[in-house]
Amino acid sequence: MPDDTTEVTATGIARIAGVGRATVGDWRRRHPNFPKPVGGTDTGPTFSLAEVEEWLRARGKLARVPPREEAWQRIESDPDGVRAALVRAGEALLRHPENPVPGPLGELADELGPFGAYSFLLGRHLDTHPRPSRATPPETAALMAAVAGPAARVLDPACGTGGLLAAAEGPDGRARPREAHGWERDPALARLAALGLALRGNVAVHVRAGNALRDVDAAHDVTGVDVVLCHPPFGERDWGRDELAYDPRWEYGLPARTESELAWVQHALSRLRPGGTAVLLMPPAAASRRTGRRVRAALLRRGALRAVIALPAGAASPHGLSPHLWVLRRPDGGRPTPGGPEPRLLVVDASTRHQADRTADGRRKPLRDELRRTVLDAWRTFDRDGTVPGEPGVSAAPAVVDLLDEDVDLAPARCLPPAGRVDAEALTRTRADLDRALRRALHLVPVPVTPAPPQGASLQGPLPDGAGQGGARRAGVTVGELARGGALRLCPGGNGAEPAVTRPGDVVLPALGPGAAHVVEPDAAGETLDRRHWLLRPDPEVLDPWFVAGFLRGAAIPRRTAGRASTTSRPDVRRLRLPRLPLEEQRRHGRRFRELAAFETALRRAAELGEELVRDTRDAIVDGTVDPD
């Protein structure tokens, strides 16, 4: 039971009750005995969590607040702020279970473990306030750690909440490093990072609050590490160029005022042991801006820059950019460079690799699997041999001397040879694939339809107790009500404490809207969803997954605004509605929805093959590879 000082917002009430925020507003208007605000503002009031629980329970809308929600409400309503509350929670969890944590936080620790409880609370905070943390997405962090390789001592000089340090691999490639060092200019984030790493265990944690570029004389600075992983702030103008003009770290040239990222690159190199590896997430402009060409040239000449890898847009914030990975190695005079006397640079364009890989029925495979394979195969081959066989349009290892022109433009798309010419044989294969796809689409054309009977009693159906209290209308039950009644499990993606990993029969719902809801097939199961998706796991004894996905795709999209000053909004998944139908009737609808999904997939595949055939035929005629007649 929460204490009398714990407060909760209207959004928190909606989350606890499994309804939309608009429903909470409706309760306030229609029920005079709804708890009165105890704090906040006129436009953002807060309520006593104890009073809200009592009110919801009295109306059968709440059996008990789950420990994770009650723990989060206490964190969110702490008078000292969320970050201070998270720090206190992390410190308490470090002593659990030797000194058991009382209340809902302790229950959450018993359920998920101390690290899992902390990860859940921190993840909820980052979901709510993502901008200040600049968190690197877990998949990108894992890729960077895999490229860097195992390390006993690892450093992140701009660590945020510690995601890159947590992803680092230990000396055997599986265990964690023995020492994790970090710098973070925000003291609150530095403490949160240190606590998260300490809760993982078996690693000496040294996270310091400060600016790693400016605080060069700090008594506890760290050098000689095996690996540096870093997602530096992009586009800083006031990074300290004037006062650091004679700093010994600028071995490769003083970066321009607009090239703060190249300052971070040289800082990372200066902290490595000879032969150590640094992997930095960089903005794409850093590879081609003329103001940085001298530093890039010096990095190439001395063999410090080993690879530039383009990732897809959305791989990290800001999500509108297609970021690059720069892989660097501190020169080691006693270690020969792989590949002989002619130094080379690995360039990989992984931003479009996903276009080629498909499942048997034409659906795209998960991007991250193909992306990791493309990047890691190319890097490991290059690191071993000093070159790669290369793939037109994807990877190559051009000689450094060929890159040292006036611009020193290292953008992978400009350094790679164009994709090979399409010959007549390839066009014939594409034509055959298109023919098969069109035949499949024609085979799956929906049969003629008959009018549905008038809506009425047939729409009544046995759903779980507590679900669909609002009557027998066709749109009679919300996703939130189904979740509270046990008919399905609703889980957001990107939750580090309890990852949303798909199983066959799950329904995946993009966070931008239900228009692309789909059922997970057996060959596509096992995907860990990111924060841009929701996972719905229907109970097959109550709900047919194809029925759920089909009706969600046609559902109206209830939205909640992101903020008073913002014009953006996001869908409220819990408020999406489904008709109340018996299971057999659901399955009848589900069979037709499944047929429509197969037809849609076949049409999409045929359209993509048709576009490919048109494009390649035109290019082949222009190149003179095929005769126009």
Side-chain angles (χ1 to χ4, degrees):
M1 182 74 179
D3 58 51
D4 293 337
T5 63
T6 305
E7 298 177 13
V8 61
T9 63
T11 300
I13 296 173
R15 187 183 293 118
I16 291 170
V19 298
R21 181 167 175 170
T23 301
V24 177
D26 184 56
W27 288 343
R28 292 184 64 194
R29 289 188 297 272
R30 292 193 298 112
H31 299 283
N33 62 343
F34 189 86
K36 303 301 181 185
V38 297
T41 64
D42 291 340
T43 56
T46 58
F47 307 82
S48 166
L49 179 58
E51 293 179 5
V52 168
E53 279 190 48
E54 183 179 356
W55 190 88
L56 291 172
R57 192 176 290 111
R59 283 149 186 80
K61 301 180 184 296
L62 178 70
R64 185 189 186 283
V65 178
R68 64 184 62 198
E69 294 299 338
E70 190 169 347
W72 171 248
Q73 293 303 335
R74 292 197 179 193
I75 295 290
E76 190 178 39
S77 63
D78 193 285
D80 295 330
V82 172
R83 291 188 180 182
L86 282 172
V87 167
R88 288 197 297 272
E91 291 171 343
L93 289 168
L94 278 174
R95 300 186 294 271
H96 187 87
E98 288 76 13
N99 292 317
V101 181
L105 181 60
E107 295 180 50
L108 186 60
D110 292 337
E111 177 187 348
L112 302 178
F115 175 68
Y118 180 80
S119 297
F120 168 78
L121 295 172
L122 180 61
R124 178 67 67 83
H125 171 56
L126 296 180
D127 283 341
T128 309
H129 304 92
R131 187 178 299 275
S133 67
R134 301 189 333 275
T136 308
E139 292 176 4
T140 303
L143 176 62
M144 294 172 66
V147 170
R153 303 176 72 224
V154 63
L155 165 70
D156 183 350
C159 67
T161 55
L164 284 172
L165 291 172
E169 300 176 354
D172 65 354
R174 296 185 302 275
R176 290 180 284 279
R178 290 193 290 270
E179 296 180 19
H181 298 267
W183 282 87
E184 171 52 47
R185 65 185 65 180
D186 184 328
L189 289 182
R191 185 59 181 149
L192 292 176
L195 286 168
L197 293 166
L199 282 164
R200 289 175 67 90
N202 301 322
V203 60
V205 179
H206 308 279
V207 179
R208 300 170 182 87
N211 187 319
L213 283 185
R214 293 173 179 266
D215 297 342
V216 292
D217 295 326
H220 301 290
D221 200 8
V222 59
T223 59
V225 300
D226 303 304
V227 161
V228 173
L229 299 173
C230 186
H231 178 181
F234 294 171
E236 287 189 319
R237 295 298 182 99
D238 185 23
W239 57 268
R241 184 181 190 273
D242 293 339
E243 58 266 39
L244 299 174
Y246 299 101
D247 194 287
R249 288 174 293 178
W250 317 140
E251 294 183 49
Y252 304 90
L254 176 63
R257 193 179 306 278
T258 56
E259 296 285 354
S260 63
E261 298 86 6
L262 295 182
W264 287 102
V265 163
Q266 295 189 72
H267 174 80
L269 283 168
S270 71
R271 268 47 193 166
L272 290 170
R273 63 167 173 79
T277 302
V279 181
L280 280 81
L281 197 65
M282 302 284 282
S288 55
R289 281 189 296 236
R290 287 186 59 82
T291 49
R293 64 188 186 279
R294 289 191 177 89
V295 174
R296 293 195 299 270
L299 290 168
L300 288 175
R301 288 192 186 99
R302 295 183 55 183
L305 182 57
R306 305 295 293 141
V308 177
I309 300 165
L311 300 179
S317 61
H319 294 290
L321 297 178
S322 176
H324 291 176
L325 291 185
W326 283 27
V327 186
L328 303 111
R329 183 158 287 152
R330 184 168 182 179
D332 183 355
R335 178 181 177 180
T337 301
E342 185 178 39
R344 294 180 176 274
L345 175 75
L346 172 67
V347 290
V348 179
D349 187 355
S351 63
T352 59
R353 185 58 177 166
H354 64 285
Q355 294 179 352
D357 200 22
R358 297 180 179 277
T359 58
D361 63 355
R363 290 181 291 106
R364 286 191 176 99
K365 290 184 179 178
L367 169 61
R368 64 177 182 275
D369 297 336
E370 179 65 9
L371 175 65
R372 281 180 62 89
R373 186 163 55 250
T374 299
V375 172
L376 293 179
D377 286 353
W379 166 247
R380 289 167 179 168
T381 300
F382 179 81
D383 193 35
R384 182 186 65 242
D385 302 333
T387 188
V388 292
E391 182 177 349
V394 176
S395 64
V400 166
V401 68
D402 295 333
L403 301 172
L404 295 174
D405 55 14
E406 182 180 355
D407 295 322
V408 196
D409 190 340
L410 306 182
R414 297 187 180 95
C415 297
L416 289 168
R421 289 184 173 185
V422 179
D423 56 21
E425 184 178 351
L427 292 175
T428 301
R429 288 195 301 269
T430 303
R431 176 64 177 81
D433 290 343
L434 176 60
D435 183 68
R436 285 191 293 270
L438 288 172
R439 289 177 182 274
R440 176 173 172 75
L442 287 171
H443 176 72
L444 295 171
V445 171
V447 297
V449 297
T450 55
Q455 298 179 18
S458 65
L459 297 178
Q460 304 284 340
L463 286 174
D465 292 340
Q469 304 289 343
R473 295 173 299 148
R474 182 172 180 83
V477 60
T478 66
V479 169
E481 290 169 331
L482 289 170
R484 286 193 294 117
L488 59 79
R489 177 188 170 199
L490 180 63
C491 181
N495 184 344
E498 192 177 7
V501 181
T502 60
R503 300 176 187 172
D506 287 347
V507 177
V508 174
L509 189 69
L512 294 179
H518 66 275
V519 177
V520 176
E521 299 282 15
D523 64 340
E527 179 182 2
T528 302
L529 300 181
D530 59 25
R531 294 175 183 174
R532 293 169 289 183
H533 296 83
W534 284 81
L535 182 146
L536 284 69
R537 181 163 292 155
D539 180 349
E541 299 300 320
V542 180
L543 290 172
D544 179 80
W546 287 99
F547 161 81
V548 173
F551 271 98
L552 287 182
R553 291 196 67 168
I557 309 177
R559 293 182 177 269
R560 54 179 178 265
T561 58
R564 292 185 64 205
S566 173
T567 59
T568 62
S569 62
R570 52 181 177 170
D572 190 343
V573 173
R574 293 178 177 84
R575 294 174 58 199
L576 295 172
R577 305 185 72 88
L578 296 169
R580 302 182 67 221
L581 298 176
L583 185 58
E584 285 305 314
E585 191 69 11
Q586 293 179 37
R587 289 171 177 164
R588 191 170 72 90
H589 284 73
R591 284 191 293 270
R592 176 49 62 93
F593 287 139
R594 188 170 194 164
E595 293 169 359
L596 290 172
F599 178 57
E600 181 182 38
T601 297
L603 278 180
R604 185 180 298 114
R605 178 60 174 156
E608 291 172 347
L609 284 169
E611 292 174 2
E612 180 181 341
L613 183 63
V614 169
R615 181 184 64 248
D616 290 348
T617 302
R618 182 188 297 115
D619 292 346
I621 293 173
V622 172
D623 291 342
T625 308
V626 300
D627 187 272
D629 294 329

